[in-house]
Structures are given as C-alpha cells and as structure tokens.
Amino acid sequence: MGELKEKASDYSQAFGGAPALADEEGRARKAAKIRAVLAAERMYDRADLRILDIGCSFGIILKFLTPAGGFGIGIDMDKHLGQPTPEVSFIRGDAEALPFAAQSFDVVVCNHVYEHTDDAGRLLDEIHRVLKDSGVCYFAGPNKYDVIEPHYRLPFLSWLPRNLADAYMRITGKGTAYVEKPCSPPVLRRLLHKFEIINYTEKILRHPDRFAATDMLPVASLKRRFAIMVYKTAPFFFPGFVYILRKA
C-alpha cells in the first residue's frame, strides 16, 4: 500500500479536517458550486442521474448533488463514511481500482482528490472507464505551483524536491513527510489526454454569481479582480482549476 493510501484510511482526521468535512452548511456551499457547473453542462436535464463521488468523505456534498429520482454512490478509502439514504450509498474502496462496470455513471465528481492518490494516471483511467459516453466528470484540484500549498499553508512546499519538502515539513512541525502529489499544468494536461477538457476556471472567475461562488469571490471585490489578473497574466501559477471532462 502506498503512503497516500495509508493516510487516506483516516483522512478525515488529518489537517484537523473532520469539523470542516462534517460542516453541512460549508459542504452545501461547495455542492452548490459543483451543481451550478453541472447544470451549465445540462446534466440536470434528466431526473434519473447516476452520480459517483470519488473521495466522498462523509458524503454531504453527494447528498446535495443527487437529484430526486437519481442515485449517488460515494467511494472513499477513509474508514469514516457517511450514512446511506434511499438515494445515496457509500463504499469504502480504492479509486485506482473502482468496483463498477464500464459506463456506469452519468456524472463522476473528483473534487480535490487527484493529489491524494498514489497514481493519478490510474485514477483517470478508471474515471474514463466508468463514465458513460454521454457523461461528464467534474474535475477540480490544486496546482503544484500554487505559491501557498493548500493543505499545510506552507509557502512553496509543493515546488520542492521530495526530500527537501519532507525536511520542510519536519522543520515546521507539520508532519514527517510531504506525501501529496499535486501536478503542474503541463503534467496534468498529459494525464488528461483521453478527455476533452472544458475549462470552467475563468468562467467562474468572470461570473461568480452564476456559479454560486460569490462567498469566495464577491462580484465587486478587489480579490476577484486580482484573481482574474493573475489568471490572465500568470495562469501557470494560478492556485487551482475547475474542469469538466468529457470522453474525447
């Protein structure tokens, strides 16, 4: 078992993350953003939507995403999973070997998960396999070249070679090793070669009201203007991305 898989078995307790992952109001806001992007792709035009949420944790986001008449399945390696409902089920399992038949899902959600896998390429191969030809994957995550690493809030942590990053973690008292694996934009594009990529990052920056993102990017704020400027002038260093993936 890889380092990340070992950590994932108790991930909800890492980073002091359990309160945030169990915060229904906060998770509902995240679900609203994802749902707005899926709605823009007309995925909610059908009622019997089948959704797979990879890295679902307690499953709160999945419950908000699953429409009446639809069905959602959450999968996570964490031993702390959500409670099932008639519309939503949960499985403890490995996203690099999904226990589902090919073309099983209309929507796959992979939201800030790829950097927590031992082999992101295998994860994406599995997403491609279980996604219906007409389906979409909501795929979002961090950029390796984000100046402030998002999990530990350490400047330039993810830029460093692994041995230096591990030492940085120990020196700052954040842990014994840096095991997360965020990718640079070029590497990520190569990993996504089987998909058509629809980039929603700039769309959300331009229209936060349309994508339920005004809590993070108030329309008239300096923060939003600065974010747009950084994205336009230095996209290689932009903190993260939101993509819709379709089978090429």
Side-chain angles (χ1 to χ4, degrees):
M1 181 181 288
E3 291 177 295
L4 283 166
K5 287 187 173 64
E6 292 176 10
K7 186 171 186 175
S9 66
D10 204 21
Y11 182 79
S12 61
Q13 307 306 308
F15 317 115
L21 293 170
D23 173 15
E24 189 158 326
E25 183 178 341
R27 306 306 276 177
R29 287 195 296 270
K30 290 182 182 295
K33 297 174 177 63
I34 297 171
R35 190 171 180 126
V37 171
L38 294 175
E41 291 293 311
R42 304 187 66 85
M43 295 311 296
Y44 284 102
D45 288 0
R46 52 178 301 173
D48 60 340
L49 205 63
R50 293 179 63 83
I51 301 177
L52 173 64
D53 185 6
I54 295 174
C56 63
S57 187
F58 300 134
I60 297 173
I61 287 177
L62 179 60
K63 290 177 180 178
F64 280 107
L65 292 179
T66 305
F71 186 70
I73 296 179
I75 187 167
D76 204 305
M77 293 196 72
D78 199 323
K79 58 191 175 187
H80 308 281
L81 289 173
Q83 294 298 313
T85 71
E87 293 81 25
V88 174
S89 292
F90 299 100
I91 297 174
R92 190 178 180 201
D94 186 353
E96 293 173 31
L98 292 170
F100 309 112
Q103 301 206 38
S104 293
F105 296 97
D106 303 292
V107 172
V108 175
V109 175
C110 187
N111 185 37
H112 289 264
V113 170
Y114 89 90
E115 72 275 18
H116 300 293
T117 60
D118 289 312
D119 188 337
R122 285 182 60 186
L123 166 71
L124 287 160
D125 284 344
E126 284 293 272
I127 290 173
H128 190 276
R129 182 180 66 80
V130 303
L131 191 64
K132 293 182 181 179
D133 289 340
S134 59
V136 304
C137 173
Y138 176 97
F139 189 77
N143 176 7
K144 175 184 176 73
Y145 292 113
D146 184 1
V147 173
I148 305 296
E149 203 281 341
H151 303 96
Y152 303 99
R153 309 305 299 169
L154 292 175
F156 302 109
L157 173 63
S158 53
W159 296 40
L160 297 174
R162 191 63 51 176
N163 60 335
L164 294 180
D166 291 347
Y168 192 9
M169 290 282 287
R170 293 192 293 271
I171 291 167
T172 56
K174 295 288 188 177
T176 58
Y178 180 58
V179 296
E180 282 69 30
K181 298 178 180 178
C183 295
S184 66
V187 170
L188 191 61
R189 289 275 173 164
R190 288 198 293 272
L191 289 173
L192 296 172
H193 69 279
K194 291 184 178 180
F195 296 95
E196 173 195 357
I197 302 170
I198 304 166
N199 192 342
Y200 268 82
T201 313
E202 186 172 7
K203 294 181 182 183
I204 294 168
L205 292 174
R206 296 284 184 187
H207 305 286
D209 50 340
R210 189 182 303 170
F211 294 102
T214 53
D215 59 320
M216 298 172 60
L217 296 165
V219 173
S221 67
L222 288 175
K223 179 182 178 182
R224 174 173 164 265
R225 293 175 190 171
F226 179 73
I228 292 173
M229 181 191 73
V230 171
Y231 188 79
K232 287 179 66 177
T233 59
F236 192 83
F237 301 104
F238 198 75
F241 59 87
V242 177
Y243 296 155
I244 283 290
L245 307 179
R246 290 184 178 273
K247 288 188 173 183

